[in-house]
Amino acid sequence: MKKGLVPYLALAGALLAVAVFAPFLTPMDPYEQNLAIALAPPDATHLLGTDRYGRDLLSRVIMGSQTTLCASLLLLVFISVFGSAIGVLAGYRGGRLDTVLMRISDVFLAFPEMVFAIAVAGALGGGLTSAALALALIGWPKYARVARGLVLTIRTAPYIEAAHMAGLGTARILFDHVVPNIAGPVLVTAALSVGTIIMELAGLSFLGLGAMPPTAEWGAMMNNGRSMLQTAPWVILAPGVAIFLAVAVFNLLGDKLRDVLDVRSK
């Protein structure tokens, strides 16, 4: 592992640690309302101020990291595994199955990603689950295409032919020889997509199609504070800066991971 990767792994790990242990890190109850201190500016007690209901913004940002980051990463794991499995199956089997699966992926790829996600999430009635499902439907074809392309380049490789001659079954060949050889590029693709998933999930919540009140979620918190940008800017800036930092960290990690795993750079 190259040294340059370690700082980015540490930053991403710190963000994930905050998300996992968020309930134990919040200085106050993120859901406790106190209208007497509604829209209080940042001070020694409330470091990021309070929202329109008097809830501590620092506590809500910390708790929101659990909702936003964990949901984004779980969604990314699902679509990368599912999409890659479809791509491996299509590329290895070929023929009519390959044609059918790739035409299905073409249908989803033909739609603008966020427009499709907004339409699906709206049709499902909103909510974090609906938003995740909408993004999953539009996200898997990218991984299917990447995995299929990689499989097509290695399925006739000598070691695959040798595995066939040795009498290994299809499942054994896929898990022992195909999947390990495509895992690196798929991992890089997933790492580079973390920031996009975070922004898309937060974007759907900002539009009222994702997490619903009173759930602490960064996009929903920005939606709650958008009408107060001039009078109480800290309400929308606090979750906005959190999204910016998280996306920046994971984008930098993805770029560095690509550099490390790219054999052409070695």
Side-chain angles (χ1 to χ4, degrees), residues 87-174:
V88 168
L89 181 62
Y92 191 78
R93 286 295 187 183
R96 182 175 299 178
L97 180 62
D98 181 26
T99 301
V100 171
L101 291 176
M102 289 304 100
R103 295 300 78 77
I104 293 174
S105 71
D106 287 341
V107 171
F108 285 100
L109 289 172
F111 291 96
E113 192 165 322
M114 276 305 292
V115 174
F116 181 87
I118 290 171
V120 172
L124 294 176
L128 194 58
T129 301
S130 298
L133 178 59
L135 293 175
L137 285 174
I138 201 65
W140 70 267
K142 174 172 63 176
Y143 295 92
R145 285 289 180 178
V146 170
R148 174 182 177 270
L150 293 169
V151 170
L152 288 176
T153 63
I154 67 173
R155 70 176 182 178
T156 57
Y159 60 88
I160 298 295
E161 296 294 338
H164 281 296
M165 295 177 62
L168 298 182
T170 300
R172 181 77 178 274
I173 293 173
L174 290 178

Side-chain angles (χ1 to χ4, degrees), residues 37-43 46-50 234:
I37 56 171
L39 300 179
D43 57 25
H46 304 280
L47 297 180
L48 297 182
T50 64
W234 54 87

